[in-house]
Amino acid sequence: MFSELSSKLTAALQKLTGRVVLMARIGPDGAVADVEVISSTAPGVGFEQAAVEAVRRWVWRPAEVDGRPVAVSMTVVVQFSLH
């Protein structure tokens, strides 16, 4: 919680916006199994950590092959814009 607030405060003070591109691996149960930062337009501000923490909380409807749930990897883009 503190890290999210710190990230938002730092960015607000600097009036930054940013985009973080992540690779998320979604398990057959729909839970996020792993998240990796691919790129960030504002490194060092804390957007990367905030994006990873947010995406880890998401739950997806599982992908299916032949009617059975399977694990998949997908690209997720998180946009930050603080005004």
Side-chain angles (χ1 to χ4, degrees):
M1 180 84 157
F2 178 76
S3 67
E4 280 183 314
L5 181 57
S6 177
S7 297
K8 290 178 183 179
L9 181 58
T10 299
L13 291 173
Q14 296 177 5
K15 297 184 180 184
L16 289 177
T17 60
R19 186 182 74 203
V20 180
V21 179
L22 306 166
M23 177 63 65
R25 290 166 189 78
I26 314 302
D29 62 351
V32 177
D34 188 37
V35 180
E36 175 185 348
V37 175
I38 303 300
S39 65
S40 176
T41 59
V45 176
F47 288 155
E48 299 90 347
Q49 182 179 354
V52 168
E53 289 174 3
V55 171
R56 283 190 189 279
R57 293 186 200 126
W58 296 355
V59 178
W60 298 84
R61 187 178 69 176
E64 293 182 358
V65 172
D66 296 326
R68 297 192 316 178
V70 296
V72 296
S73 292
M74 62 185 293
T75 302
V76 178
V77 178
V78 179
Q79 187 76 34
F80 291 89
S81 180
L82 304 172
H83 302 279

